């Protein structure tokens, strides 16, 4: 069972670390007698234990020197800036920087990074590319008005059981310099954001940080996303868009930073993904939450003889390392420690700016994606929103960071647009029409379904207005609609959905099985 112990720091150690850091502490273990009552000399049989901290070192393979020493040296040199307060700047040697530049200058750097991310997981290349963009993230920037633009990328993995979603997430958790791994079933709203607890010593109310706050400037991995309670999911809305967590509890009113990337995985409601239904119907997640994810990947288990054989051989080779292996690709794989260092170096030292050509390409891609909705089925369907444009910008900057480039080129925008289109084609495709419809993600109802319901409501009103006494049973109504509409007649479920909508809005009275216009 996890245990906690009080650590007391003094002098220069104060504020040397922040919540969420993994540290190694050197100190003196002390035991202090505790009185049974303040006015009595009798002592408790169990002493209170704590640690007097002598030295603090950040538990990170990238940070060979003491984090405290680097902080003291920066304070002595007077080089502490606002960025240093927000983020821990790690000092790199010339050999380390040279090694990073050699990796960045290799012609197939993008393919090498994809191979190096979870090499034990077979294929899923597009999913790995999206997760790499999440790890590198975009450029953190602010407007002149003081607003801060979100640079973190949120990714949702949805698919059939046994498609290595949890394996990917656990690997990302190991790879991320900062981050928390949690499961949706065991998470509450206060556990994700922050909660108020009573200090055992002073008995005062204190604020304890949750998973999103502790993974600030890192990745928060949430498994079993579909099994979270509604309260816990509602707590994510502000953190995923505004990057903050606001609290007003027990007299404590504050706003905490939650600049975290959310990597979530969810299983469909019926355990198996139904291609005949939309993502919202399969996942049964609120559309307001789905729209905050930059990339939604569907990982489906489709039977195929050739791919199944290759996957089986790959899995068997993991259990039999002495057997036949492809040694040619092992040279291209970057080690876990080196990849973590490279990601941290790119996040801190590389701040790419968008070139004029790349900016024009971003505008063109956004306009083209919007135009797709106008030409689809001759009706105006929303295929892209400003959130997709912001996602394009973030993904383009992340792709430029992978190469340690100072500018975002057109090639980066092309790859970012391809990733967004792949994710949209999988997640935002309307199964009824086969076209991309962002209304599915934004509102949970596709444009074609909304038009079908509107037309069906008009037909219901026409049938009920001609009925004797203006009342009719639902079975007779369905029979009349089948005779009138023939092949386009609705199913029983579709009919009752529309009837319920009309009743909720006050346009229809339902008494048992009898229907009447209001």
């Amino acid at each position: 069972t996890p245990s906690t112990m009080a650590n007391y720091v003094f002098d220069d150690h104060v504020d040397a670390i922040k919540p969420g850091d993994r540290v190694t502490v050197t100190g003196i273990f002390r035991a202090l007698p505790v009185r049974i009552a303040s006015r009595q000399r009798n002592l408790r049989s169990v002493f209170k234990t704590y640690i007097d901290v002598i030295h603090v070192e950040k538990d990170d393979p990238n940070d060979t020197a003491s984090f405290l020493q680097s902080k003291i040296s920066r304070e002595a040199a007077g080089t502490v800036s606002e960025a240093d307060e927000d983020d821990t700047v790690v000092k790199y040697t010339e050999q380390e920087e040279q090694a990073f530049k050699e990796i960045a200058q290799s012609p197939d750097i993008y393919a090498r990074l994809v191979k190096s991310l979870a090499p034990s997981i077979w294929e899923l290349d597009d999913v790995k590319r999206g997760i790499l963009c999440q790890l590198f993230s975009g450029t953190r920037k602010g407007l002149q008005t003081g607003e801060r633009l979100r640079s973190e990328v949120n990714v949702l993995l949805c698919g059939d059981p046994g498609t290595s979603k949890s394996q990917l997430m656990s690997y990302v958790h190991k790879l991320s310099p900062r981050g928390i791994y949690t499961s949706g079933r065991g998470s509450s709203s206060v556990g994700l954001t922050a909660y108020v607890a009573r200090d055992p010593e002073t008995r005062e109310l204190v604020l304890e940080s949750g998973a999103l706050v502790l993974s600030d400037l890192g990745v928060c991995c949430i498994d079993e996303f579909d099994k979270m309670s509604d309260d816990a999911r509602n707590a994510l809305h502000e953190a995923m868009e505004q990057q903050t967590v606001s609290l007003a509890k027990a007299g404590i009113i504050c706003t905490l930073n939650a600049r975290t990337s959310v990597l979530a995985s969810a299983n469909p409601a019926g355990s198996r993904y139904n291609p005949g239904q939309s993502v919202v119907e399969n996942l049964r997640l609120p559309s307001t939450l789905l729209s905050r994810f930059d990339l939604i990947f569907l990982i489906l288990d489709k039977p195929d003889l050739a791919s199944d054989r290759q996957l089986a051989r790959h899995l068997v080779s993991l259990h039999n390392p002495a057997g036949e292996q492809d040694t040619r690709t092992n040279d291209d794989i970057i080690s876990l420690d080196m990849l973590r260092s490279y990601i941290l170096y790119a996040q801190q030292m590389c701040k790419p700016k968008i070139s004029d050509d790349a900016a024009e390409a971003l505008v063109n891609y956004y306009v083209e994606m919007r135009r797709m909705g106008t030409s689809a089925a001759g009706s105006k369907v929303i295929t892209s929103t400003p959130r997709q444009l912001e996602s394009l910008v973030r993904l383009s900057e992340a792709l430029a960071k992978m190469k340690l480039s100072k500018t975002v080129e057109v090639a980066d925008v092309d790859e970012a647009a391809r990733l967004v289109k792949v994710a949209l084609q999988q997640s935002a495709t309307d199964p009824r029409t086969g076209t991309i419809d962002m209304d599915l993600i934004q509102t949970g109802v596709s444009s074609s379904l909304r038009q079908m319901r509107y037309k069906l409501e008009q037909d219901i009103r026409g049938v009920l207005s001609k009925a004797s006494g203006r009342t009719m049973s639902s079975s007779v109504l369905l029979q009349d609609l089948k005779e009138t509409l023939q092949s386009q007649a609705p199913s029983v479920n579709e009919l009752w959905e529309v009837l319920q909508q009309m009743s909720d809005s006050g346009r229809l009275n339902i008494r048992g099985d009898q229907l009447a216009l209001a």
Side-chain angles (χ1 to χ4, degrees), residues 44-333:
R44 294 182 185 272
S45 58
V46 179
F47 282 30
K48 173 193 166 188
T49 57
Y50 63 96
I51 293 176
D52 274 340
V53 177
I54 297 173
H55 181 76
V56 179
E57 185 173 359
K58 192 171 182 184
D59 189 12
D60 194 331
N62 308 318
D63 196 3
T64 53
S66 166
F67 174 54
L68 174 64
Q69 293 301 321
S70 64
K71 178 177 181 287
I72 293 173
S73 62
R74 283 186 285 125
E75 286 179 348
T79 58
V80 177
S81 61
E82 291 184 5
D84 294 333
E85 293 296 328
D86 282 345
D87 201 359
T88 307
V89 177
V90 180
K91 301 295 182 183
Y92 295 95
T93 62
E94 292 184 5
Q95 290 85 357
E96 288 176 331
E97 291 193 357
Q98 188 62 32
F100 295 148
K101 288 176 182 176
E102 286 178 3
I103 294 175
Q105 287 170 1
S106 58
D108 57 344
I109 173 62
Y110 193 32
R112 280 188 69 187
L113 289 172
V114 172
K115 285 181 185 176
S116 305
L117 181 67
S120 61
I121 296 175
W122 187 68
E123 283 201 344
L124 300 181
D125 287 346
D126 279 335
V127 178
K128 291 182 180 180
R129 290 185 181 105
I131 291 176
L132 275 173
C133 291
Q134 182 182 43
L135 287 169
F136 282 89
S137 73
T139 304
R140 192 175 295 114
K141 57 180 93 69
L143 302 177
Q144 294 180 348
T145 55
E147 292 182 68
R148 190 173 61 217
L149 297 177
R150 174 161 72 95
S151 61
E152 284 73 22
V153 178
N154 298 320
V155 179
L156 174 65
L157 308 179
C158 164
D160 299 326
T163 49
S164 65
K165 300 188 297 293
S166 297
Q167 289 289 329
L168 262 174
M169 295 182 65
S170 61
Y171 192 89
V172 170
H173 176 60
K174 291 179 189 173
L175 191 59
S176 175
R178 283 172 68 94
I180 299 291
Y181 185 93
T182 181
S183 177
R185 189 181 289 277
S187 301
S188 62
S189 59
V190 292
L192 286 174
T193 54
Y195 58 94
V196 176
R198 198 172 288 279
D199 188 88
E201 297 297 319
T202 61
R203 308 302 299 167
E204 293 180 358
L205 293 174
V206 294
L207 203 62
E208 297 287 344
S209 301
L212 289 171
V213 180
L214 289 177
S215 54
D216 185 33
L217 300 175
V219 179
C220 183
C221 302
I222 305 175
D223 205 355
E224 307 289 348
F225 192 64
D226 53 306
K227 297 177 179 63
M228 291 176 68
S229 64
D230 292 338
D231 291 340
R233 276 201 290 259
N234 292 337
L236 291 170
H237 283 78
E238 180 190 1
M240 288 180 66
E241 194 62 42
Q242 278 77 38
Q243 303 280 281
T244 56
V245 170
S246 300
L247 282 177
K249 293 182 180 179
I252 300 175
I253 302 172
C254 63
T255 301
L256 306 174
N257 282 329
R259 297 159 295 181
T260 175
S261 305
V262 176
L263 175 62
S265 73
N267 289 325
S271 292
R272 186 68 63 178
Y273 193 87
N274 184 3
Q277 293 181 336
S278 66
V279 176
V280 178
E281 293 169 334
N282 270 290
L283 291 183
R284 296 182 186 172
L285 292 174
S287 54
T288 51
L289 194 59
L290 282 177
S291 64
R292 282 168 164 77
F293 285 100
D294 299 278
L295 297 171
I296 302 175
F297 288 108
L298 300 185
I299 309 176
L300 306 183
D301 187 7
K302 296 180 180 178
D304 181 75
L305 183 62
S307 61
D308 289 347
R309 188 178 296 276
Q310 287 179 317
L311 175 60
R313 283 178 177 164
H314 174 75
L315 289 175
V316 171
S317 68
L318 295 177
H319 294 275
N320 183 22
E324 183 181 352
Q325 283 189 337
D326 188 3
T327 56
R328 293 172 298 173
T329 58
N330 290 341
D331 298 335
D332 295 336
I333 294 177

